[in-house]
Amino acid sequence: MESRWCLVSLLLFLSLPLHGAVASLLERRNYIVHLDPRDGGGVGDSVEEWHRSFLPQSASLDAAGGDEDPRIIYSYSDVFTGFAARLTDEEAEALRGTEGCVRLYPEVFLPLATTRSPGFLGLHLGNEGFWSRSEFGRGVVIGILDTGILPSHPSFGDDGIQPPPKGWKGTCEFKAVAGGGCNNKIIGARAFGSAAVNSTAPPVDDAGHGTHTASTAAGNFVENANVRGNADGTASGMAPHAHLAIYKVCTRSRCSIMDIIAGLDAAVKDGVDVLSFSIGAYSGTQFNYDPIAIAAFKAMERGIFVSCAAGNAGPEPGTVGNGAPWMLTVAAGTMDRAIRTNVRLGNGEEFHGESLFQPGNNSAADPLPLVYPGVDGFDASRDCSVLRGSEVTGKVVLCESRGLNDRIEAGQTVAAYGGVGMIVMNRAADGYTTFADAHVLPASHVSYDTGTKIVSYVNSTANPTASIAFKGTVIGSYPSPAVTFFSSRGPSKASPGILKPDITGPGMNILAAWAPTESHTEFSDGAGLSFFVESGTSMSTPHLSGIAALLKSLHPEWSPAAIKSAIMTTSDAVDRTGLPIKDEQYRHATFYAMGAGYVNPALAFDPGLVYDLHADDYIPYLCGLGIGDDGVKEIAHRPVSCGSLKAITEAELNYPSLVVNLLSQPITVNRTVTNVGKPNSVYTAVVDMPKDVSVIVQPPMLRFTELKEQQSFTVTVRWAGQPNVAGAEGNLKWVSDDYIVRSPLVIPAKTE
C-alpha cells in the first residue's frame, strides 16, 4: 500500500492567527489528525482503538497510566477519518512521520458569522399555500451548530409537534434547567469541548446567538413577540413544526474547529435531515485542506442538506467562505421593515435612520447642539472611541461607524462623557446598510449619503443643532430587498468556477428568540429580553435551513442538490418594485453579491425542473480541480483514480448556475435537468445576456412526458465582438406555461 505521511496544514491559517503564545516543547497543543481512509484498522479493532494506535509512545504511555489530561479528545467516525488529540510538539513531529497519517491541523477558532421575515418571504398562515402544504416542516430534524439554546423559551414549546421520528438516535444532555429541557421540539442537545467545560448546564445558551438562530430556523409560533414594542407580531421560524437538535460547539466568542467537527460527526450519527451552520469559515482554503468541507461532503452523501453562512467580510470581493458546491452558501439581505428614527437638523432638513432603543422619555427630542469630532478644534476620534467631556456634555454627537461592530460601544462612550444623543454615520464602503441597535441613549444610525449631508451642515454653520425623533416600526421601506454591505462576496477562491454565494436570505435586523446574558448589554436599564434583533449571515443561514426543512418535508425523496436547485432557480433577481435587486450602494447587485437571487420559498416548493447531483457526480469535478488522487480521496473518504475517469471543469458540474471563463474561443458546457413539475410539459430556452455575448442552447426546447424524466442540453457561450474585460452577467431560463427555471450565467471579469 502507498505510504502516507502526516503534514501540518498551513493553508487553513493564512488569514487566521494561531491563538496564544508559542508553546514550549513540553506544552500540549490540540490537533486534528487526518488519517488515510484506506487504513481502517485491523479486523475487530474499534475506531477508538485504531485511533489510539497512532499515538506516539509517550502519549500512549500517558493514556495507559491514567493521565488526567486525556490525549484523544474526539474519535471521529461518520464525517471525518481521524481524531482530535492533545500532543506536545515532539509528539506531533513523531506523528507526522507515521504511515497512514495524512495531515495535522492545529486547532483554530472560528468566529460566529422573526416576526416579519415569514410574511416577507410569502409564508402566511391559512389552509392554502406552501407553508401549510409542507405541514410547517413536520417530521424534519434540523441540527443547529452554535452556542446552544435556552430550552425554556416559548419559541421552543412543543404544542402541535409530533414525537421524534423513528430511528432518531440523539441524546439530551440538559441538566436541571428551570422551565425547560428536551421535548418534542428540542429532541437532542449536546455540548462539546470548551463549550461544555465553560457552562454549568452544557447545552444551555450563554451567548444568545444559538437561541436566535435556532428559533429563526424552527421556532414555534409565539404571539406578541417584540423588543420593547418594536417589530411586534407573531414570531415563528421558517419551519415551526420541525424538530431541533442542538450541538453546542461555540462559546460566547469563538468556535473550536475540533468541536465543530465533533458536532458534525454527532449530528450525522444522530440522524438529522438538515444542518445549519452559522459560523465563519475559511475563504480560499483548498477543499481537501478544509475539515468543514470534508465533513460536509460526508453529510451530503448521507442525504443531509447543509446550509452555511457566506461570512461577514464584505463588501470586498473574494471573501466568501463555506464555498464547497455540496453546501448551500447563504448571503444576507434586507427586508422591508425599518425600526425608524428621524434626524432633524437646525436648517430644517430631515433624514431617516434606525435604532432599536426608542425611549418614551427622549432627551434628544428638542434641538440640541450638534458636534462632530475633528471639526473646529474638537480633538477626538471621529468614531467616538476617544472623547472629552467638555466637548460632549449636553450635546448630540455625530460619530463615524467602524463597520460591523462598535456602534453600541460608541454610544456608551458618548453617554459616559455626558452626551445626550448620538448620530452614527456609515463609512463610504457601508453605503445604505443601517442597523437597529440597542443603544444606551437616543441615537440614529444613518447611511453614508445622509452622513455626508449632516457633515456638510455642521461645516456650514457656527451653531449646528439636531434632534432625534422615534417613529417605531415601519413596513414598506424601500428598496427591499437589498444586499447588506457586510455579506461576503464571491468569487470563491477555492473554486472560482462555481458561483458563490448561492442565495440571499433575510439577514438584517432580524427579530428572534434570545437568551439574555451578562456579556450582552441590551438596554441601559439592563432588563432581560425574550426576543432580540440581530444581523449577519448568521441570521440569513437559518432562514434557508428552515426553508430546506419545509422542502424536505414536502419532498422527502429529493436529494440535497435537488433542494438547492429548487431554492436557487426560483429565487428573485428583482425587488418588490420589479427593479433589479440592489447592493449596499443601491447599485445593481451582482451575482457574486447575492448568488442566484433572494429566496422565494413560495415558488421553491414547485420548481418545475431541478439540476440534480449525487456524491459520485462531484468526483470528476474534484479531479478537475487538480488536487490529485489523494486530495480527492481525502474529501470523498474513498480511493479515487482520476486517471481512470473523465475529469470535468468547474463549469461542467451540473450546478444550477453557470460560470464560464470565456476568452477568445467559445466554450460549450452540458447540463441535465430532471422534471419534478408536470408530466406533460414543454420548456423553451430564453437567454437574457448583454448584446456582446452570444449564447446558443441546444436543443432550444425540452419536451417531457413523465415525472422524474431527465433531459440534457448544451450551452455554447462566445463573445459576439471583442472580449469585454469587465465580464458579463445574465440569465438562462427554461420557460413553460407554468414555470420559469432561471439559472445565472456569469462571465467573470478578467484580472491581471
Side-chain angles (χ1 to χ4, degrees), residues 26 34 61 64 93 158 179 195 235 250 262 377 395 540 576 593 636 679 731:
L26 295 179
H34 194 176
L61 290 174
E93 187 65 28
D158 62 359
C250 303
K395 300 175 182 178
S540 56
R576 291 301 190 262
N731 294 284

Side-chain angles (χ1 to χ4, degrees), residues 601-613:
L603 294 179
F605 85 100
D606 186 17
L609 306 174
V610 294
Y611 295 83
D612 207 357
L613 284 164

Side-chain angles (χ1 to χ4, degrees), residues 548-682:
L550 297 177
L551 291 169
K552 187 76 173 178
S553 179
L554 195 60
H555 302 287
E557 75 283 3
W558 281 9
S559 69
I563 294 174
K564 177 195 283 189
S565 176
I567 289 171
M568 292 175 64
T569 61
T570 60
S571 63
D572 293 330
V574 296
D575 64 20
R576 291 301 190 262
T577 66
L579 296 174
I581 289 175
K582 297 176 174 61
D583 64 12
E584 76 288 344
Q585 303 295 341
Y586 287 175
R587 300 174 302 209
H588 186 168
T590 69
F591 289 128
Y592 284 127
M594 66 177 181
Y598 200 94
V599 63
N600 188 336
L603 294 179
F605 85 100
D606 186 17
L609 306 174
V610 294
Y611 295 83
D612 207 357
L613 284 164
H614 298 278
D616 288 344
D617 298 319
Y618 292 98
I619 304 303
Y621 153 80
L622 291 170
C623 288
L625 292 180
I627 60 178
D629 292 357
D630 289 337
V632 177
K633 182 187 67 175
E634 292 164 20
I635 298 168
H637 301 260
R638 59 182 182 273
V640 171
S641 174
C642 289
S644 64
L645 53 82
K646 185 180 183 299
I648 61 173
T649 64
E650 295 160 294
E652 292 175 293
L653 184 67
N654 198 45
Y655 213 66
S657 55
L658 295 89
V659 177
V660 180
N661 284 294
L662 190 61
L663 299 174
S664 58
Q665 299 298 315
I667 292 178
T668 298
V669 298
N670 298 292
R671 285 291 188 275
T672 299
V673 288
T674 303
N675 182 24
V676 296
K678 295 185 177 180
N680 294 295
S681 51
V682 179

Side-chain angles (χ1 to χ4, degrees), residues 19 23 142 144 164 174 301 336 343 363 378 391 427 432 469 701:
H19 194 77
I142 303 176
I144 306 288
F174 282 123
E301 193 172 34
D336 65 344
V343 174
S363 58
F378 186 176
E391 301 284 357
R427 305 172 302 176
Y432 291 88
M701 186 176 291

Side-chain angles (χ1 to χ4, degrees), residues 77-79 139-145 164-173 182 186-192 243-249 261-275 299 302 304:
S77 60
D78 281 59
V79 300
V140 178
V141 182
I142 303 176
I144 306 288
L145 279 78
K166 293 181 180 179
W168 173 246
K169 301 176 183 177
T171 59
C172 182
E173 292 181 354
C182 287
I186 304 173
I187 62 172
R190 295 183 59 185
F192 298 86
H243 305 291
L244 284 167
I246 304 303
Y247 303 89
K248 185 175 181 179
V249 298
I261 301 303
L264 288 168
D265 200 59
V268 171
K269 193 177 300 183
D270 290 345
V272 303
D273 301 298
V274 176
L275 276 167
R302 298 280 188 91
I304 299 169

Side-chain angles (χ1 to χ4, degrees), residues 306-320:
V306 183
S307 176
C308 297
N312 297 333
E316 289 75 19
T319 51
V320 66

